[in-house]
Amino acid sequence: MKAVCITPKVPHTACLSELPVPPIDEVPGGRGLLVQVLQVGVDGTDRELYEGEYGAAPEGYDFLIIGHESFGKVVEVGPNVTGLAPGDYVVATVRRPGDSIYDQIGTYDMTTDDTYYERGINLLHGFLAEYYVEEPEYLVKVPTGLKHVGVLLEPMSVIEKGIEQAYEIQRRLKVWRPRRAAVMGSGTIGLLAALGLRLCGLEVTSFARTPKPNLNASLVEDIEARYLSTREISVGEAAERYGPFDLIFEATGYSPLVFEAAHALAKNGVLILSSITGGDRRAEVESDRLNLEFVLGNKVMVGTVNAHRGYFERGIADFARAEATWPGWLSRLLTHPIRGLENYEEMFRALAEARDAIKVYVVVSEEQYHDNL
Ligand code: BGC
Ligand code: ZN
């Protein structure tokens, strides 16, 4: 089978390899499933892997199959698989359990291990290939009616986790009744966060750099949220006019904004941080003021990464609600299809250069591409 591979930590090494289809008994006990990959989304993580910033090959290999935002179809099941059958559409979770107590109870996204295993990212092969093998625990079934947006489920799972964690934390307040939320960033994660928060019934203000009109702005406005360009209004001013914000979801990838967001947070508010910032940027902050506001205002700042299968399942439920409330909205995020694994160079180019791209994704099986038209 064809697969897109990199040599981890060496920049610009991507290539198309011919590899054997993984055997279904890679998973012991007759519990393996062979999944045909239909679509794979790519994001900043793939770009950073390509740039050699991080990533690791699985034990015994000197290359890594990348791709962690999968969507596929079950083609073969082992004799002891229950709950999934050939023909089912599935999305695979990304992280696999390590040793910490959090891993042991199924919350591997909360691992305290220093070494973590993530398919397509660290120590495990990913999904930018024609097939992969997995066990049922890590496969989430996508209803046929949502198959056209299945490839967006992994990014959505990350948002579901962030929001659920925030509500879980806020149970400390006994009567928390959030009304206004802000989202920093309007890329895929920012847009899906705005969607998730609108589905929670919150008034949402999204901050992005580019002034409207643009596609991201209309997507925000089409779910009855507010789009503001930070070139036209500062976060502080906007918070005075449209805030204070009970919940803020940060997804810009630009760490100095975290502190601006912290200032814009309401008393008793919660700030969710989701940007992976691998660089070494520094920023000067008004530390006394920030500290004081958090102390006197009982505020919370929380980081969130990855997602376990429960959050993928929440994502499915929210996608169904989104399709019912704003039909076709999710599909509009799928801006840049790349046809075929062999066009992986075009994929990396689109990731790096297509300024109007929301989601770049590879259509691994051509048949599925026509399905989507
Ligand atoms: C993925 C997460 C992963 C994180 C860190 C993100 O791009 O969506 O699942 O945990 O990268 O590796
Ligand atoms: Zn990702």
Side-chain angles (χ1 to χ4, degrees):
M1 67 168 186
K2 292 196 272 299
V4 178
C5 303
I6 62 159
T7 307
K9 309 232 178 66
V10 186
H12 310 149
T13 55
C15 65
L16 190 69
S17 300
E18 187 60 41
L19 298 169
V21 174
I24 197 167
D25 55 13
E26 221 173 55
V27 175
R31 298 178 60 256
L33 293 98
L34 182 67
V35 179
Q36 181 185 12
V37 179
L38 299 177
Q39 300 180 341
V40 177
V42 286
D43 71 355
T45 297
D46 300 289
R47 205 178 145 189
E48 284 156 10
L49 288 167
Y50 181 59
E51 294 300 330
E53 291 174 25
Y54 50 81
E59 215 187 302
Y61 293 85
D62 57 3
F63 64 87
L64 172 75
I65 303 177
I66 60 166
H68 61 277
E69 303 178 5
S70 70
F71 174 67
K73 192 188 215 167
V74 175
V75 287
E76 198 187 325
V77 301
N80 296 325
V81 169
T82 52
L84 284 170
D88 285 346
Y89 293 102
V90 288
V91 168
T93 64
V94 176
R95 197 174 284 180
R96 296 293 168 267
D99 298 318
S100 83
I101 189 164
Y102 305 99
D103 298 86
Q104 302 308 310
I105 63 162
T107 56
Y108 39 83
D109 56 312
M110 294 303 223
T111 192
T112 49
D113 292 353
D114 291 327
T115 307
Y116 60 90
Y117 296 84
E118 287 181 345
R119 290 201 69 159
I121 303 174
N122 213 42
L123 298 166
L124 297 172
H125 284 316
F127 309 113
L128 259 177
E130 289 176 279
Y131 296 93
Y132 68 89
V133 164
E134 193 46 273
E135 54 185 289
E137 173 59 25
Y138 307 117
L139 291 174
V140 180
K141 189 166 160 174
V142 177
T144 309
L146 290 175
K147 70 171 181 161
H148 56 298
V149 292
V151 72
L152 292 170
L153 186 59
E154 193 280 338
M156 189 64 186
S157 72
V158 172
I159 281 113
E160 297 291 353
K161 175 181 172 185
I163 296 176
E164 189 175 310
Q165 291 282 309
Y167 275 78
E168 195 65 18
I169 289 165
Q170 295 298 72
R171 281 164 53 179
R172 70 193 171 118
L173 295 167
K174 316 297 181 217
V175 291
W176 192 51
R177 296 199 185 109
R179 287 177 48 212
R180 299 188 194 91
V183 176
M184 317 299 288
S186 74
T188 309
I189 295 291
L191 288 166
L192 290 173
L195 175 72
L197 292 165
R198 286 293 297 126
L199 290 171
C200 291
L202 301 183
E203 186 187 313
V204 173
T205 301
S206 287
F207 292 91
R209 228 172 351 198
T210 318
K212 56 184 196 182
N214 59 60
L215 174 59
N216 308 55
S218 28
L219 282 162
V220 166
E221 291 176 350
D222 289 349
I223 52 172
E224 294 135 76
R226 181 181 297 113
Y227 179 95
L228 297 177
S229 159
T230 49
R231 295 221 180 106
E232 295 174 344
I233 186 168
S234 73
V235 175
E237 262 172 86
E240 263 166 46
R241 203 175 305 169
Y242 305 112
F245 301 116
D246 303 303
L247 183 156
I248 302 181
F249 201 115
E250 204 294 321
T252 60
Y254 181 66
S255 53
L257 261 183
V258 165
F259 304 98
E260 270 191 62
H263 282 308
L265 194 62
K267 288 200 176 98
N268 289 359
V270 55
L271 169 58
I272 308 163
L273 310 184
S274 73
S275 295
I276 313 251
T277 49
D280 51 12
R281 183 173 277 119
R282 291 162 154 263
E284 194 167 302
V285 299
E286 297 171 72
S287 52
D288 271 350
R289 185 174 140 212
L290 199 62
N291 175 69
L292 191 68
E293 286 169 357
F294 265 67
V295 171
L296 299 185
N298 291 297
K299 304 184 190 187
V300 175
M301 189 186 312
V302 61
T304 177
V305 69
N306 200 258
H308 63 61
R309 69 169 296 139
Y311 301 122
F312 283 72
E313 282 158 3
R314 265 185 70 129
I316 296 275
D318 270 352
F319 276 4
R321 291 205 291 151
E323 285 288 273
T325 318
W326 298 291
W329 188 88
L330 282 166
S331 306
R332 288 165 61 205
L333 269 54
L334 296 170
T335 50
H336 282 61
I338 307 290
R339 294 172 206 217
L341 291 168
E342 54 280 8
N343 290 317
Y344 68 93
E345 278 170 335
E346 184 191 337
M347 171 195 94
F348 284 118
R349 226 172 6 248
L351 255 185
E353 291 163 19
R355 305 204 47 221
D356 53 342
I358 295 176
K359 180 48 73 184
V360 178
Y361 64 108
V362 181
V363 181
V364 178
S365 144
E366 191 63 21
E367 192 186 322
Q368 178 67 18
Y369 182 77
H370 292 301
D371 259 21
N372 273 1
L373 294 179

